Amino acid sequence: MTATFTIAIDGPAGAGKGTLARRLADHYRLNLLDTGLTYRAVAHALIQHALPLDNVSAAETAARQVDMAKLDRAVLSAHAIGEAASKVAVYPTVRRILVEKQRAFARTPPGAVLDGRDIGTVVCPDADIKLYVTASAEVRAKRRLAEIESIGGTANFAEILADIVRRDERDMGRADSPLKPAADAHLLDTSEMAIEAAFLAAMAIVDDALARRNKA
Ligand code: DC
């Protein structure tokens, strides 16, 4: 039996994997890592120093300096940083540095829920559970618009949708560690599923794996 328990969650931006990851980590008392924040931290460092996003050696330095204990969601969650993160995430050397840090996090007892794009395929290929969370681009764009409007902002649906489609293409189309479901991932399509239903479905999958593990 492995000492730690790992739940890997992958999927495109806005599919609900972050909320699901938080719910599962709370419920099973596991550590939680939103790996997108690590790529965002690299992009943020470059932007802060007014460096171009294709300055690979500066991105590598920024990746080495990422402190997993100091990932500040309030600062890193800006939409523009997400876009920039998707651009720096194409560089294999940057990925390698961040993946090492993510693996060390996953190995820390009692284990972790990690969410991102390549967790089940590259970061934790031996994860106890792999989930691939998707939703149609239209549904994700509607959710994003509702989120912006709920905090008093305004946005254009067509622009949000175009943004989402562009980000999907970049994340799924890159040569190194593209977003795709691991062969052994459970697929959860949240297009017509509330987050609570997705959480219950995921819990059933995890409980089943835990029961089998305890019997073994
Ligand atoms: O999940 P997010 O929106 O915070 O991620 C921002 C970008 O970071 C995403 O568009 C691609 C990249 N990313 C990645 O390449 N691999 C991961 N495991 C997580 C994020």
Side-chain angles (χ1 to χ4, degrees):
M1 203 208 278
T2 48
T4 56
F5 192 77
T6 310
I7 301 178
I9 307 183
D10 291 301
K17 60 187 190 311
T19 310
L20 186 62
R22 200 171 336 111
R23 295 284 306 269
L24 289 170
D26 280 351
H27 184 79
Y28 293 101
R29 296 177 191 281
L30 293 167
N31 298 321
L32 173 64
L33 179 62
D34 171 356
T35 60
L37 292 178
T38 64
Y39 291 91
R40 284 171 182 259
V42 172
H44 182 243
L46 294 179
I47 292 167
Q48 281 227 305
H49 293 100
L51 291 165
L53 298 171
D54 62 359
N55 184 333
V56 185
S57 73
E60 288 167 11
T61 303
R64 277 189 211 98
Q65 286 170 353
V66 167
D67 182 341
M68 305 296 273
K70 289 190 186 148
L71 296 168
D72 186 347
R73 180 177 298 279
V75 171
L76 300 176
S77 64
H79 182 66
I81 298 182
E83 271 295 303
S86 174
K87 291 179 186 162
V88 299
V90 302
Y91 298 115
T93 48
V94 172
R95 301 198 68 83
R96 224 171 294 141
I97 295 163
L98 294 179
V99 166
E100 271 319 303
K101 294 181 189 233
Q102 295 161 8
R103 285 183 179 147
F105 185 95
R107 282 194 299 268
T108 307
V113 181
L114 293 91
D115 76 274
R117 304 291 188 289
D118 60 341
I119 310 302
T121 50
V122 175
V123 181
C124 301
D126 298 326
D128 297 272
I129 305 285
K130 297 181 186 178
L131 302 172
Y132 189 85
V133 185
T134 69
S136 72
E138 287 74 15
V139 166
R140 288 184 281 137
K142 266 188 215 153
R143 286 182 189 155
R144 171 104 189 102
L145 182 62
E147 199 180 296
I148 293 169
E149 289 176 348
S150 76
I151 52 169
T154 50
N156 175 291
F157 178 78
E159 276 173 24
I160 295 179
L161 182 59
D163 245 37
I164 283 182
V165 169
R166 209 172 36 238
R167 178 104 78 97
D168 282 359
E169 279 170 4
R170 200 181 300 121
D171 292 349
M172 292 175 183
R174 67 176 175 233
D176 188 344
S177 319
L179 168 64
K180 63 172 181 201
D184 50 351
H186 299 269
L187 303 187
L188 278 179
D189 187 332
T190 67
S191 300
E192 303 194 5
M193 199 191 261
I195 186 63
E196 189 59 27
F199 173 60
L200 292 177
M203 233 171 66
I205 293 166
V206 177
D207 286 344
D208 184 53
L210 283 171
R212 272 187 281 120
R213 184 167 129 146
N214 289 337
K215 254 191 236 156

